[in-house]
Each structure stands twice: as C-alpha cells, then as structure tokens.
C-alpha cells in the first residue's frame, strides 16, 4: 500500500508520477488491477495536457517498475505483456504491507491529520489504519472545513455518512459507532442529527395553549384511525380530554418513531399519550 501526503499539484508543477500512481492504486478496493484502464488512464486524465511533460509513458512504466521493486505491486506474469516499450504486465496485484512494516502509516498519521480526531489508537495498532484510511481522511477534511465554516443547516446522519463514506448507513452502524468512539468524535462534531422515522398522524386543529401538554391518541388499527379521524373532524365525537393529535401506530413501526412527535407539535410543553387497540403482547409494547 502506498502512503503519500503530498497534494496532487503544487502550483503549476505536477507531482511525481509515482506519487499519483500510488494515489490511484490506493483508491481501488480490488487487489487485481489492469495496467491501462485501472492505473494509466486515471493518471493520464489527471495530468491531462501535462502528461508528456511529466514523462509520459516512459515515466509511468519506470514508476510502475519501481513500485514492483518496492513490493507495492506484483506483475501477474500469466497475463502477458502490453507490447509497448518498456513493456509492462497486463495485470498487477496489489500487495499487502509486510508484517510489522508500518513506519509509513505511522508517519502519515503523525504528519497528515490536522483536526481534533484522536488517532492514538491507530498509532498503537497501525495494522488497523489502512482499512480506515479513506474514511479518516474524509472526516479530517470535514472537521477542518466545519471549524472554519460551520454549516448553517445540519445534515441527517445518513446524509453525512454518504458524503463521507459513500454508504449512508455506515455512521449509524455498529462499525461506524465504534470508529467514532475510537477517534473520540461525535455526531454533533460531524454536524449531523438522526432523522426520526415519520409516522402517519392527523392534527385535530384543537388550539394548544401555552404550557399545555399535548394529548395524543395512538390507534393501532388503520380502519379505526380513519373512522376516528372522520368523527373527530366532523365534530361527531368528543373525547375527554380532547385530542390534539391522532396517530396511526402501524404495528411496531411507531416504537421507532416517538421522537418524531417533537416535529409534529413543537410548541407543546409536554405530551400525554393514550392508546386504543389490542392489549396483547404487541399492543403492550406501546405502554412501556
């Protein structure tokens, strides 16, 4: 695995060919890479018109061969050669770091990161660093940006997770929680909030007085919900106390949605819930 903390370009001077090849290699999750479409083409696109100034194919081939000597890549001899001069194998295999050789990883941890993440555990266990590297870099970049320009509107956890990792469920997963604990970063640090699961409800338009608790009726059955909605809306049914919010429980779904109530009646001083439905094992869960 390559470790390099240089920027891709410094002014108008292109970075070394090998440095950017390392960047491309690191970005691939696959262990088997084609010399052209997986390595050369991304490098050439990045250099664009400066490809020849950077040495072109000859510099590219020399860098690939150097990475082979450094045991970063291994040519797959059975794949054949590309027919160019100097020749390269058609396929290369990414090699893992040698056992115990984590000096480059430690150097990167110490020199690259500028945010308040605590990476001491990765210094103590550098063998864990490589598989978290891309996510750690993304979090580090976000924390620095957020410190300089705090976002006016926070994203949901899933939105922030997708932006940082490409997977919307990662931050809310067990692995995501463990990683955040490990680097001592919270969801608040990442400027994101959990999005409560919404539920079906109907507001009765009953005025909510200042410092008054909202009365909420949770109905388990969908047909009963619609009947009560009609009767209450038509003024043909009176309850004591009067109901501010009629909620369709939708089986077990409501159990993961209670926090959504704060978005339905944000001005309430508190909430009192009533339940209409089966008091079997399923219905009893609402009362816990």
């Amino acid at each position: 695995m390559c470790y390099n903390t240089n920027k891709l370009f410094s002014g108008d001077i292109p970075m070394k060919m090998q440095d950017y090849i390392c960047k491309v290699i690191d970005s691939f999750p696959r262990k088997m890479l084609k010399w052209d479409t997986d390595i050369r083409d991304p490098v050439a696109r990045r250099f664009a018109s400066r490809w020849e100034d950077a040495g072109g194919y000859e510099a590219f081939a020399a860098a690939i061969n150097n990475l082979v000597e450094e045991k970063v890549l291994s040519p797959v001899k059975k794949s054949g050669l590309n027919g160019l001069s100097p020749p390269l194998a058609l396929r290369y295999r990414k090699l893992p770091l040698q056992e115990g050789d984590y000096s480059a990883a430690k150097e990167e941890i110490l020199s690259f990161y500028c945010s308040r993440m605590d990476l001491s555990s990765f210094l103590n266990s550098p063998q864990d660093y490589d598989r978290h590297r891309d996510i750690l870099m993304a979090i580090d970049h976000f924390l620095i940006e957020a410190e300089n320009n705090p976002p006016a509107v926070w994203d949901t956890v899933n939105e922030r997770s997708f932006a940082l990792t490409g997977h919307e469920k990662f931050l809310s997963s067990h692995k995501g929680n463990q990683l955040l604990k490990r680097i001592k970063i919270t969801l608040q640090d990442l400027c994101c909030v959990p999005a409560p699961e919404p539920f079906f409800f109907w507001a009765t338009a009953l005025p909510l007085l200042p410092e008054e608790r909202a009365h909420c009726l949770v109905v388990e059955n969908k047909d009963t919900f619609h009947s009560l909605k009609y009767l209450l809306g038509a003024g043909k049914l009176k309850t004591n106390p009067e109901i501010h919010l009629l909620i369709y429980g939708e089986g077990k779904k409501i159990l993961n949605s209670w926090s959504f109530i704060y978005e339905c009646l944000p001005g309430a001083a508190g909430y009192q819930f009533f339940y209409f439905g089966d008091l079997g094992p399923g219905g009893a869960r609402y009362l816990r």
Side-chain angles (χ1 to χ4, degrees):
M1 185 61 63
C2 302
Y3 291 98
N4 188 284
T5 60
N6 295 328
K7 295 182 179 179
L8 299 187
F9 286 91
S10 177
D12 293 329
I13 302 175
M15 63 181 287
K16 293 180 180 179
M17 180 74 73
Q18 182 170 319
D19 291 341
Y20 193 61
I21 291 175
C22 282
K23 193 75 174 178
V24 170
I25 291 172
D26 287 349
S27 69
F28 271 89
R30 299 197 313 271
K31 299 298 182 184
M32 195 73 68
L33 304 176
K34 297 179 181 179
W35 82 273
D36 49 2
T37 56
D38 291 339
I39 308 177
R40 182 202 58 186
D41 292 355
V43 173
R45 282 195 298 269
R46 187 62 182 87
F47 282 115
S49 61
R50 288 182 277 191
W51 168 253
E52 293 300 331
D53 293 337
Y57 175 78
E58 289 188 4
F60 173 81
I64 291 292
N65 289 328
N66 191 50
L67 291 174
V68 171
E69 292 181 7
E70 294 178 0
K71 300 188 184 305
V72 173
L73 294 173
S74 175
V76 180
K77 295 181 180 179
K78 292 183 179 180
S79 67
L81 300 176
N82 64 0
L84 300 179
S85 180
L88 292 175
L90 292 178
R91 294 178 184 271
Y92 287 84
R93 182 181 293 106
K94 291 167 60 175
L95 298 178
L97 288 172
Q98 295 181 7
E99 186 70 26
D101 182 14
Y102 299 109
S103 57
K106 289 183 177 181
E107 181 180 354
E108 182 172 277
I109 292 171
L110 291 171
S111 62
F112 181 84
Y113 297 91
C114 300
S115 69
R116 60 180 180 276
M117 284 193 303
D118 184 350
L119 298 178
S120 57
S121 68
F122 288 100
L123 286 173
N124 295 329
S125 302
Q127 67 275 11
D128 296 341
Y129 174 66
D130 184 63
R131 59 193 175 96
H132 293 103
R133 181 174 182 255
D134 290 344
I135 296 176
L136 292 174
M137 286 187 171
I139 292 175
D140 182 72
H141 178 75
F142 174 82
L143 291 173
I144 295 171
E145 288 291 318
E147 184 175 354
N148 295 328
N149 298 291
V153 178
W154 286 20
D155 284 345
T156 66
V157 173
N158 285 357
E159 288 171 334
R160 180 71 68 233
S161 182
F162 184 80
L164 294 176
T165 72
H167 302 281
E168 65 174 13
K169 301 296 185 182
F170 177 77
L171 289 181
S172 57
S173 69
H174 176 71
K175 289 183 178 180
N177 288 328
Q178 290 299 107
L179 178 61
L180 292 183
K181 288 180 181 178
R182 186 172 184 178
I183 61 177
K184 295 181 172 57
I185 292 297
T186 66
L187 295 178
Q188 288 72 28
D189 294 326
L190 296 177
C191 303
C192 59
V193 293
E197 189 72 23
F199 50 70
F200 290 108
F201 70 92
W202 176 69
T204 63
L206 180 68
L208 188 63
L209 302 177
E211 300 183 359
E212 181 184 9
R213 289 196 303 174
H215 300 132
C216 308
L217 176 60
V218 179
V219 180
E220 181 179 335
N221 184 273
K222 180 175 64 175
D223 295 317
T224 306
F225 171 84
H226 283 286
S227 295
L228 289 175
K229 175 179 177 295
Y230 168 74
L231 293 171
L232 290 169
K236 297 182 178 182
L237 177 67
K238 295 291 184 180
T239 61
N240 185 21
E242 291 187 284
I243 298 300
H244 295 94
L245 206 65
L246 184 66
I247 299 172
Y248 171 40
E250 200 172 351
K252 298 178 182 179
K253 181 178 179 181
I254 189 67
L255 298 176
N256 297 319
S257 304
W258 288 121
S259 58
F260 184 65
I261 189 70
Y262 301 110
E263 299 186 23
C264 301
L265 293 173
Y271 301 89
Q272 184 175 15
F273 291 93
F274 300 89
Y275 172 71
F276 184 90
D278 183 11
L279 280 180
R285 291 191 181 95
Y286 295 153
L287 307 179
R288 293 179 182 176

